Amino acid sequence: MNLVTLKEVLEPAEKGGYAVGAFNANNMEIVQAIIESAAEERSPVILQASQGAIRYAGLDFIVSLVKTAAGGTDVPVVLHLDHGTDFDQVVRCIHSGFSSVMFDGSQLPYEENVATTVRVVEIARIVGVTVEAELGKIAGTEDDISVDEQEAFFTDPQEAQRFVKETNVDALAVAIGTAHGPYKGEPKLDFPRLKQIKELASIPIVLHGASGVPDEAIRQAVSLGVNKINIDTDIRRAFTDGIKDYIKKDPDNIDPRKMFAPAKEDMKKIIKEKMRLFGSSGKA
Ligand code: G3H
Ligand code: 13P
Ligand code: ZN
């Protein structure tokens, strides 16, 4: 099946009250694990590549890998740029065949974030590509900032309403207490804020940093209007733990395929669990 846009998977998710998983990929094994999981779960899926993934694998390799994998299945697959912070890079992704992009202007002053997001939306619309933007700052767990300090960067619901009107984006990433990377303690999500953002912004909300967020908190976030959930760390962990386990069992092995194959199965297990948790299984 050809790649589809974010709108094509998030509109039904918003109507149906579920979320679609957005899983980060950097190489062939991860791409295959994500798409095979989607096919086996009959789930729509968003496969996303960060700027780091593009530096590592190469833009054309990412696009070719995902198009090949998506072409071999009949479930909807979105190829999305994750956290694009550079306008030129975002345009290169649109030009190279991504069906969706995130422009992340969250480090910019509000007016600059709006202005660049508007430029991205204008270009993306011409070629039928969808756009996610970010308002508020989503921390990294490595930033080591306290919950109180983090709150200063949370998304303001009124500002979110204004931002969506001014930019006309398809989905909005918000800062409500999650962070990228492995959590040290249990993350505490600001659900009243999420509820208000959804009521005012009225578009699909994106939850970043969802690895390590307890299942119950994910369910509540979905019930309050989160329709795209980003997972990277849990997949990285499954992949590398799988490889380490294999090496422990068979330290003299020199065939990479022997360790990648079980590690891929470990990734699929976690991806499928997430699809069931998010409610997207059986929706394709
Ligand atoms: O949100 C960030 C993603 O986990 C991607 O991380 O920039 O190391 O590829 P990365
Ligand atoms: P985690 O690595 O914490 O799952 O976050 C993923 C993410 O938000 C990618 O944009
Ligand atoms: Zn993110």
Side-chain angles (χ1 to χ4, degrees), residues 29 48 87 89 101 142-143 148 168 200 226 234 250 278:
E29 284 76 10
Q48 52 189 18
F87 177 78
Q89 168 78 313
V101 290
E142 72 284 0
D143 294 344
D148 286 355
N168 198 22
L200 292 175
V226 164
D234 282 342
D250 187 6
F278 302 164

Side-chain angles (χ1 to χ4, degrees), residues 24 26 50-53 82-83 180 208 232-233 236:
N24 286 70
N26 302 286
S50 68
Q51 294 175 142
D82 188 30
H83 291 287
H180 293 113
H208 283 244
D232 188 3
T233 299
R236 292 179 182 204

Side-chain angles (χ1 to χ4, degrees), residues 253-264:
N253 168 58
I254 58 149
D255 183 348
R257 294 170 298 188
K258 284 193 171 167
M259 54 186 186
F260 285 156
K264 186 173 122 184

Side-chain angles (χ1 to χ4, degrees), residues 73-133:
T73 178
D74 59 352
V75 296
V77 178
V78 181
L79 172 56
H80 182 72
L81 169 66
D82 188 30
H83 291 287
T85 53
D86 175 48
F87 177 78
D88 292 5
Q89 168 78 313
V90 172
V91 175
R92 272 195 294 276
C93 287
I94 294 173
H95 178 71
S96 300
F98 278 59
S99 58
S100 188
V101 290
M102 174 183 189
F103 173 68
D104 177 0
S106 60
Q107 302 300 319
L108 304 172
Y110 177 85
E111 297 299 342
E112 260 182 74
N113 187 359
V114 168
T116 313
T117 304
V118 165
R119 284 173 73 207
V120 170
V121 171
E122 270 171 14
I123 289 177
R125 288 280 182 272
I126 295 170
V127 287
V129 164
T130 40
V131 180
E132 171 187 345

